[in-house]
Amino acid sequence: MANFFLIWAAIFGFLSVALGAFGAHSLKAVLDDYGRQIWEKAVLYQMFHTAALMATGILQNLFKDINFNISGYAFITGIILFSGSLYILALSNIKLLGAVTPFGGIAFMIGWGFLAYRLLKL
């Protein structure tokens, strides 16, 4: 499972850089200030939680007897729901997507909380 999280961290890291550059250059004339702020927030949170996912995979490799799966899956879910909904919101301005974003935030909090819980077990 650790390699699964590391592979997804690499994919999400690549996408963070690519989407950040795409937003800064290709969408410069497309997005208004509000849309750019949303896009930048999505990239920022994606990169932070990509690093958390990478750390989760590394911890899983180091401590094979401790299960970090809930954290890893929560970070993946959070990236998809939080950042994904913000990317689409920035491009489409469909306000209903704002209702999805908090579920991604909750997934992030579950990931961090479970990570702390497991680390306290060390």
Side-chain angles (χ1 to χ4, degrees):
M1 195 52 59
N3 288 337
F4 177 80
F5 296 143
L6 294 173
I7 290 167
W8 275 105
I11 291 167
F12 284 137
F14 174 88
L15 289 173
S16 292
V17 174
L19 290 168
F22 180 69
H25 301 291
S26 299
L27 296 178
K28 193 178 211 176
V30 175
L31 298 176
D32 60 11
D33 286 339
Y34 178 69
R36 272 192 296 281
Q37 288 175 355
I38 291 172
W39 191 272
E40 290 169 1
K41 185 70 69 184
V43 171
L44 182 69
Y45 273 72
Q46 182 173 337
M47 187 55 86
F48 284 151
H49 291 90
T50 294
L53 183 60
M54 180 73 69
T56 301
I58 292 168
L59 287 167
Q60 190 68 67
N61 274 322
L62 289 173
F63 304 103
K64 296 188 185 313
D65 56 328
I66 298 175
N67 187 325
F68 292 93
N69 288 349
I70 291 175
S71 289
Y73 287 122
F75 290 137
I76 290 170
T77 301
I79 289 169
I80 292 167
L81 293 179
F82 187 91
S83 294
S85 66
L86 289 181
Y87 290 130
I88 297 169
L89 175 61
L91 292 172
S92 69
N93 206 21
I94 299 172
K95 301 292 186 196
L96 184 61
L97 289 168
V100 174
T101 309
F103 291 104
I106 290 168
F108 287 151
M109 290 187 289
I110 290 169
W112 286 111
F114 194 78
L115 188 61
Y117 171 75
R118 285 300 192 193
L119 290 172
L120 286 170
K121 294 276 186 174
L122 293 177

